[in-house]
């Protein structure tokens, strides 16, 4: 095990200042991803700053207009059990409960969850093979290697990895906002802008800079959220990352006709992938018109680019999106 020094932070400004100047320092919350990355030698920080003692970062607040503010240090299990979260955003609760295991969810924080790194086996391989995310410039072993679990959208020659977070898919569908405090004060980042596509710099998963501390995630109220669902397709029924997943939410008019829909997919790209073209195409279609729903969803897959081993994801993802939408619709 790579050795590190552990200290505890009790003042946000000091934590941010320390992280800004010290490039060998990492924040640690639950440690469920970071310690694995250290064991795999994918990250080798010399100093860990435990942020669990920072004030006002673990609350779950129901906002008056119907939204939520979830502190970055709130535990996944606490958020999933919160009655207001369950009532207002079923898709968020389901994404949390389908993730990891009970023990992990008791430790794992919301901030850490959206910061977790890819499960690409080459990236996690401690023998240090070719991986641009791990060692920039070394190549991408997955591009022409084992890429069954990898991206079908938005990948580059530099990296074809997917983002493993279930929660991030639900938050993308809900247009959540990540609240970050940094050297220049607090800023609000729309969830769709938080994670990056790999481009030529896949070592960067998201847009955060040194010194940036996630303090909370805000989920604004929306008319689709009450009829929402998260569907996760995986190789075994529990304790497994998604092969593909779909977060869906829907509002209707004239009985079963779709007024607006939200659809985001996991397991298909370097970031949660919103199906915006399908969302537009779904407007006006009846939830009972299966062929119509299927055709509308297909619009978002016209630009899918499969790799050698994952073309099956194109059909699987469309079926998952359809099923998630139907299940969400059944909650109206
Ligand atoms: C066996 C296993 C199975 C899993 N299965 C799933 C799954 O199916 N679905 C799923 O979504 N996840 C899964 N996970 C991942 C798990 O959900 C994450 O490890 C967890 O959410 C990370 O939270 P943490 O608090 O432990 O983060 P840490 O490990 O403490 O931190 C992770 C990263 O986030 C940074 N960080 C943490 N908090 C902040 C903050 N407030 N501001 C800025 N940076 C911060 C840390 O510096 C670090 O880089 C699994 C993990 C394991 C080990
Ligand atoms: S897909 Fe990305 S993470 Fe995986 S080997 Fe290629 S560069 Fe590394």
């Amino acid at each position: 095990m790579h050795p590190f020094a552990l200290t505890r932070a009790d003042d946000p400004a000091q934590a941010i200042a320390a992280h800004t100047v010290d490039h060998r320092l990492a924040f640690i919350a639950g440690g469920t991803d970071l310690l694995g990355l250290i064991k795999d030698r994918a990250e080798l920080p010399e100093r860990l700053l435990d942020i669990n003692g920072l004030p006002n970062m673990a609350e779950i607040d129901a906002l008056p207009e119907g939204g939520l503010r979830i502190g970055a240090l709130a535990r996944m299990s606490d958020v999933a059990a919160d009655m207001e979260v369950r009532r207002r955003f079923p898709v968020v609760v389901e994404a949390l409960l389908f993730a990891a295991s009970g023990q992990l969810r008791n430790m794992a924080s919301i901030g850490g969850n959206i910061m977790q790194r890819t499960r690409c086996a080459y990236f996690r391989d401690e023998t240090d093979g070719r991986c641009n995310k791990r060692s920039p410039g070394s190549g991408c072993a997955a591009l022409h290697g084992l890429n069954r679990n990898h991206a079908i959208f938005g990948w580059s020659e530099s990296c074809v990895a997917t983002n493993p977070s279930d929660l991030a898919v639900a938050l993308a569908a809900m247009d959540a906002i990540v609240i970050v405090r940094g050297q220049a004060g607090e800023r609000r980042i729309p969830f769709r802008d938080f994670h990056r596509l790999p481009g030529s710099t896949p070592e960067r998963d998201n847009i955060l800079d040194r010194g940036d501390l996630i303090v909370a995630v805000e989920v604004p109220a929306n008319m689709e959220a009450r009829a929402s669902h998260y569907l996760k397709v995986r190789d075994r029924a529990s304790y497994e990352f998604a092969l593909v997943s779909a977060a869906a939410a829907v509002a209707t008019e004239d009985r079963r006709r779709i007024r607006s829909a939200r659809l985001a997919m996991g397991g298909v790209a370097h970031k949660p992938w919103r199906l915006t073209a399908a969302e537009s195409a779904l407007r006006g279609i009846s939830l009972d018109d299966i062929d119509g729903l299927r055709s509308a969803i297909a619009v978002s897959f016209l630009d899918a680019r499969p790799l050698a081993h994952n073309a099956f994801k194109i059909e699987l993802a469309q079926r998952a999106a359809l099923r998630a939408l139907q299940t969400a619709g059944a909650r109206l």
Side-chain angles (χ1 to χ4, degrees):
M1 182 74 174
H2 167 73
F4 53 78
L6 177 72
T7 50
R8 292 196 168 83
D10 51 19
D11 176 68
Q14 284 174 11
I16 290 165
H19 194 273
T20 304
V21 296
D22 185 349
H23 287 238
R24 306 307 301 265
L25 178 144
F27 294 142
I28 184 164
T32 61
D33 195 36
L34 186 56
L35 293 176
L37 291 164
I38 294 173
K39 285 182 196 162
D40 293 340
R41 303 185 62 78
E43 290 191 21
L44 296 171
E46 286 171 7
R47 284 164 289 284
L48 298 187
L49 188 56
D50 179 346
I51 58 173
N52 289 295
L54 293 180
N56 308 321
M57 276 178 54
E59 286 77 7
I60 305 164
D61 295 315
L63 301 177
E65 87 297 354
L68 291 173
R69 181 182 161 107
I70 307 172
L73 290 171
R75 266 39 199 183
M76 290 170 73
S77 48
D78 292 332
V79 180
D82 186 279
M83 286 317 289
E84 275 311 312
V85 184
R86 297 174 78 90
R87 201 170 62 80
R88 297 180 181 196
F89 296 97
V91 69
V92 169
V93 172
E94 289 168 349
L96 287 166
L97 291 179
F98 281 129
S101 65
Q103 273 175 318
L104 281 161
R105 293 193 296 269
N106 286 342
M107 285 297 289
S109 66
I110 296 301
N113 185 282
I114 63 173
M115 290 291 287
Q116 67 177 290
R117 308 207 69 192
T118 184
R119 289 281 154 177
C120 171
Y122 299 104
F123 172 71
R124 298 269 171 173
D125 179 2
E126 62 180 287
T127 57
D128 264 333
R130 283 184 308 126
C131 173
N132 287 322
K133 195 180 272 298
R134 202 179 159 107
S135 320
S138 64
C140 172
L143 181 62
H144 300 295
L146 295 174
N147 48 38
R148 175 177 180 269
N149 293 335
H150 290 69
I152 55 170
F153 289 114
W155 53 266
S156 70
E157 299 282 314
S158 298
C159 179
V160 294
T162 55
N163 183 297
S165 167
D166 291 299
L167 175 65
V169 183
L171 293 177
M174 293 294 104
D175 286 317
I177 294 156
V178 185
I179 302 172
V180 174
R181 201 172 296 159
Q183 280 289 304
E186 195 164 288
R187 63 193 198 279
R188 297 166 63 83
I189 304 172
F191 207 81
R192 63 177 168 276
D193 300 332
F194 182 77
H195 294 102
R196 300 175 68 251
L197 288 180
S200 57
T201 50
E203 66 275 17
R204 293 193 61 200
D205 298 336
N206 55 58
I207 63 164
L208 293 191
D209 289 323
R210 290 300 306 172
D212 280 344
L213 175 73
I214 302 169
V215 292
V217 172
E218 228 171 79
V219 194
N222 66 69
M223 66 176 158
E224 300 88 7
R226 296 280 287 271
S228 63
H229 178 58
Y230 185 74
L231 178 76
K232 181 169 176 180
V233 183
R234 42 192 163 171
D235 282 330
R236 58 182 180 197
S238 71
Y239 197 37
E240 183 57 283
F241 290 91
L243 207 45
V244 301
S245 67
V250 66
T252 53
E253 55 196 357
D254 301 337
R255 295 165 62 84
R256 302 268 295 158
R257 205 160 286 285
I258 294 175
R259 180 174 172 193
S260 54
R262 294 166 176 265
L263 277 174
M265 308 258 11
V268 296
H270 198 257
K271 60 187 286 183
W273 198 254
R274 193 80 183 256
L275 304 187
T276 45
E279 289 175 3
S280 302
L282 282 164
R283 262 182 230 125
I285 296 177
S286 166
L287 277 169
D288 301 318
D289 175 2
I290 306 301
D291 289 339
L293 298 178
R294 199 174 280 134
S295 305
I297 289 168
V299 173
S300 274
F301 286 80
L302 293 174
D303 55 352
R305 287 186 301 143
L307 300 159
H309 304 131
N310 69 2
F312 72 95
K313 278 194 180 183
I314 296 179
E315 176 64 22
L316 184 63
Q318 291 178 80
R319 290 188 193 194
L322 176 62
R323 177 73 70 84
L325 189 62
Q326 288 177 303
T327 308
R331 292 178 169 172
L332 282 161

